[in-house]
Amino acid sequence: MIIGCRSKIIIISHHKLGNGKTISSNAIFQRSCRARCSHSTTSSMNGFEDARDRIRESFGKLELSPSSYDTAWVAMVPSKHSLNEPCFPQCLDWIIENQREDGSWGLNPSHPLLLKDSLSSTLACLLALTKWRVGDEQIKRGLGFIETYGCAVDNKDQISPLGFEVIFSSMIKFAEKLNLNLPLNLHLVNLVKCKRDSTIKRNVEYMGEGVGELCDWKEIIKLHQRQNGSLFDSPATTAAALIYHQHDQKCYQYLNSIFQQHKNWVPTMYPTKVHSLLCLVDTLQNLGVHRHFKSEIKKALDEIYRLWQQKNEEIFSNITHCAMAFRLLRMSNYDVSSDELAEFMDEEHFFTTSGKYTSHVEILELHKASQLAIDQEKDDILDKINNWTRTFMEQKLLNNGFIDRMSKKEVELALRKFYTTYDRAENRRYIKSYEENNFKILKAAYRSPNINNKDLLIFSIHDFDLCQTQHREELQQLKRWFEDCRLDQLGLSEQFISTTYLIGIAVVSEPEFSNARLMYAKYVMLLTIVDDLFDGFASKDELLNIIQLVERWDDYASVGYNSERVKVFFSVFYKSIEELATIAEIKQGRSVKNHLINLWLEVMKCMLIERIEWWTSKTIPSIEEYLYVTSITFGSRLIPLTTQYFLGIKISKDLLESDEIYGLCNCTGIVMRLLNDLQTYKREQGESSMNLVTILMTQSPRRTNICEEEAIMKIKEILEMNRRELLKMVLVQKKGSQLPQLCKEIFWRTSKMVYFTYSHGDEYRFPEEMKNHIDEVIYKPLNH
């Protein structure tokens, strides 16, 4: 990853760095970490293991919680044989049996922000009971709830179900026809009706039960009926079609199909397979525990991909499902085209032709998907989606246009670019906000039992705590190494111990790579010291002496030391690289020391070019030469290539010299270099240091020089082009590629950490948010 020392930043790479003084102590530590953090069978881990087993089983339990609201609408469907009898009397039984103590119906257990949902569900249940003249006692208690909490109808702090203004107002009218006197304030009733009239002018087929007889149900069925017989996979809307239209066999078949799975109730959405799988995979990734369920997630995504290829209706008729499936599949290396999102790239078309009342969740998921552009030309669809969804959400935030605090927070988080965030800190935030009784909301609030449960919460907290314990132990070892090597005498501050280790966690987060993280952090600190020496701390003669010592590695004693500073540095450097080479040889089954030494020589010689040919001689390089040399000095080859030797995968010399590796190194290096230049160019101009902004301003291909603003815009274009190309190389399976996916991931994680470091300043040299993350990821307990 990157390290910014003095006026420059040094690349700090990922992985695998050794930790103790001897191989045996390191091996012992690794075994203890595996025993602790891979959660093997010990008595103290039984509860943890049991929770993991139950989570694995949940992949086969794909259902949503009962919806009182939808069940009530299905209960109101008359029999095909008599309009005076219910078609689904079992739903009435469920309603009577599931009234809550306060007289309401709704999600159980409820939530303080779901009063509107409870009012909507309660009124729907009262209508069903009144229509069929049953449940007098339940009706009385339900009216009592509405009288007590009816004022929440206009409470802006409460979460509104989709279409609440339209549907609730229509149910009030329905109650009047049934002579059901509702104890609601007349002013509130009129207010709700006014909102209904303004909302109903838009496409509201999805909330058709709120429009009732005013709907052209025959036309809606013609345009929106799905292959499974439903309207929008909504039991309530489908039931309304039968209540007001009464002549569609496919609608009846759809509702009957639900009762084959659920005895006497319906969910707010059906079928639920795709929805549950997508949400479960997404939740596991957000909690940071997906590595424990690799085979289950692979099987789930294989199934989603099969349905994607078949253009399955359950995916493509639902905006949220389509966007989520695209995002999860693309980020998991499946071949999915952004063409499937083409119908959403125009904002006006999106809002006027979907036929479905749009929620912030759909726009939010589209925005997340739109960030995965990997092709400058083919993914212009994603760029267009990104532009309008970002503008739309930013405007809503500015105008306080979101209906509740929860949706506002979700949108604020989604507006951040996913490649600029620190994953483990995001995992922690998600765990802290996770509730086993959490919910989502469509026309009714719902939960997914396989997602919102105690097992996931306990498992995630325990896993995070275990990793924190391991991180603290590793950090103590790193501190001891720092002190033993007396790196402070080489000008390195102790703050870099935690900073470099935090970067190591970001790039190599898997617990089993303990040795990698420690060796990686050491490598980063050594690179920081080298950067300082070549950046002005050492004389030209001392630098040439260091290079000669490295070139004569096995016979360095015959070279001698030009100064005490060179002697102190090289003794630490030699010992560390030898240790690294020894560990790499064990892992690879062959010696790789010469390759490691040559990578270091490449960096040092390029640093010498910066120091002698550019800075001292005041020579301005070409743009191409600048990017090539400074990418190397940033460590774009040194760190990722060295890391490959410590991933537990045998890597051949030919593979590390392949065009694929060259491309990954090149894009990663440019991304790192340009991100650093954008944040440090003003300081470097003051220090007369080289920077691409300055070079572009003096070497424009046009006759006249470009201004600073134009130079910055050009750099941002080059940066974005290379970021996308890098992501493409990591996600798209190249034909004939022999490079393991984990090896490619290292390059993307490196760039992601650099984005975090330089998106809003120089977090390496002047850590602010990084300090918070060190505390959150390593030290601060997760007290949920």
Side-chain angles (χ1 to χ4, degrees), residues 31-50:
R31 287 196 294 272
S32 68
C33 284
R34 281 197 292 269
R36 181 180 65 255
C37 290
S38 54
H39 321 301
S40 55
T41 55
T42 64
S43 58
S44 62
M45 302 298 290
N46 285 341
F48 185 81
E49 295 284 356
D50 291 343

Side-chain angles (χ1 to χ4, degrees), residues 63-79:
E63 61 181 48
L64 304 185
S65 57
S67 169
S68 303
Y69 172 82
D70 289 84
T71 301
W73 276 100
V74 173
M76 286 187 271
V77 174
S79 169

Side-chain angles (χ1 to χ4, degrees), residues 273-283 304 321 324-325 328:
K273 177 182 178 179
V274 166
H275 178 83
S276 296
L277 284 177
L278 290 172
C279 290
L280 180 55
V281 172
D282 196 39
T283 298
I304 295 296
H321 293 172
M324 284 186 71
L328 293 175

Side-chain angles (χ1 to χ4, degrees), residues 355-521:
K356 185 176 183 296
Y357 190 79
T358 304
S359 73
H360 81 278
V361 175
E362 293 170 335
I363 298 174
L364 183 148
E365 286 298 339
L366 277 175
H367 184 73
K368 289 180 182 179
S370 73
Q371 295 189 47
L372 299 185
I374 57 177
D375 193 291
Q376 292 294 110
E377 297 179 0
K378 294 181 180 180
D379 280 342
D380 64 313
I381 290 170
L382 298 182
D383 291 331
K384 292 177 180 178
I385 293 174
N386 185 273
N387 288 336
W388 79 255
T389 52
R390 174 171 289 276
T391 301
F392 179 86
M393 290 191 291
E394 287 176 342
Q395 193 62 43
K396 285 288 187 180
L397 288 175
L398 188 64
N399 299 334
N400 292 317
F402 285 102
I403 55 177
D404 59 81
R405 290 168 292 180
M406 289 177 64
S407 59
K408 182 179 180 181
K409 184 65 175 177
E410 284 181 297
V411 169
E412 288 173 341
L413 293 171
L415 282 173
R416 300 175 306 166
K417 294 180 174 65
F418 82 100
Y419 48 84
T420 66
T421 58
Y422 190 93
D423 288 347
R424 289 304 287 167
E426 291 303 301
N427 295 152
R428 181 190 176 94
R429 180 195 61 76
Y430 196 88
I431 295 171
K432 290 286 288 184
S433 64
Y434 181 90
E435 299 177 19
E436 59 183 280
N437 290 327
N438 198 9
F439 60 87
K440 295 184 179 180
I441 195 162
L442 293 171
K443 286 184 290 188
Y446 68 93
R447 292 189 180 95
S448 301
N450 59 330
I451 298 172
N452 308 115
N453 61 65
K454 192 173 183 180
D455 282 333
L456 261 180
L457 179 59
I458 292 175
F459 185 84
S460 300
I461 293 174
H462 197 170
D463 179 75
F464 197 91
D465 289 345
L466 285 168
C467 289
Q468 276 192 319
T469 299
Q470 180 177 356
H471 294 333
R472 287 192 293 270
E473 292 177 3
E474 292 175 1
L475 193 55
Q476 286 302 312
Q477 294 186 49
L478 196 60
K479 287 179 179 178
R480 289 194 292 271
W481 173 82
F482 183 95
E483 293 168 357
D484 291 344
C485 293
R486 300 180 181 179
L487 296 187
D488 56 327
Q489 294 184 6
L490 290 169
L492 195 66
S493 168
E494 285 189 9
Q495 90 170 23
F496 289 111
I497 301 173
S498 298
T499 303
T500 57
Y501 182 65
L502 186 76
I503 296 171
I505 293 172
V507 179
V508 195
S509 60
E510 296 85 349
E512 62 268 28
F513 293 137
S514 170
N515 184 271
R517 277 185 300 279
L518 286 168
M519 288 296 290
Y520 166 70

Side-chain angles (χ1 to χ4, degrees), residues 685-696:
Q685 284 175 348
E687 299 171 349
S688 299
S689 296
M690 200 64 63
N691 187 285
L692 189 57
V693 176
T694 305
I695 295 175
L696 284 174

Side-chain angles (χ1 to χ4, degrees), residues 561-613:
Y561 302 112
N562 186 280
S563 67
E564 183 65 22
R565 173 162 46 200
V566 171
K567 180 179 180 180
V568 172
F569 161 73
F570 190 75
S571 63
V572 173
F573 182 76
Y574 180 87
K575 178 182 177 181
S576 298
I577 302 306
E578 280 289 324
E579 179 187 81
L580 175 60
T582 301
I583 298 173
E585 181 174 353
I586 293 172
K587 290 183 174 292
Q588 293 297 314
R590 63 186 179 89
S591 175
V592 297
K593 182 168 70 173
N594 287 340
H595 187 217
L596 301 188
I597 294 170
N598 288 335
L599 287 172
W600 273 105
L601 275 173
E602 182 181 48
V603 170
M604 291 177 178
K605 289 180 178 179
C606 284
M607 285 182 176
L608 196 64
I609 291 174
E610 289 184 296
R611 168 76 178 273
I612 305 301
E613 296 185 20

Side-chain angles (χ1 to χ4, degrees), residues 5 16 130 132 191 239 257 281 309 355 383 394 443 528 663 719 749 776:
C5 233
K16 304 200 155 201
T130 302
W132 303 118
L191 188 63
S257 70
V281 172
Q309 290 178 307
D383 291 331
E394 287 176 342
K443 286 184 290 188
T528 304
L719 172 62
R749 295 180 192 178
E776 292 174 343

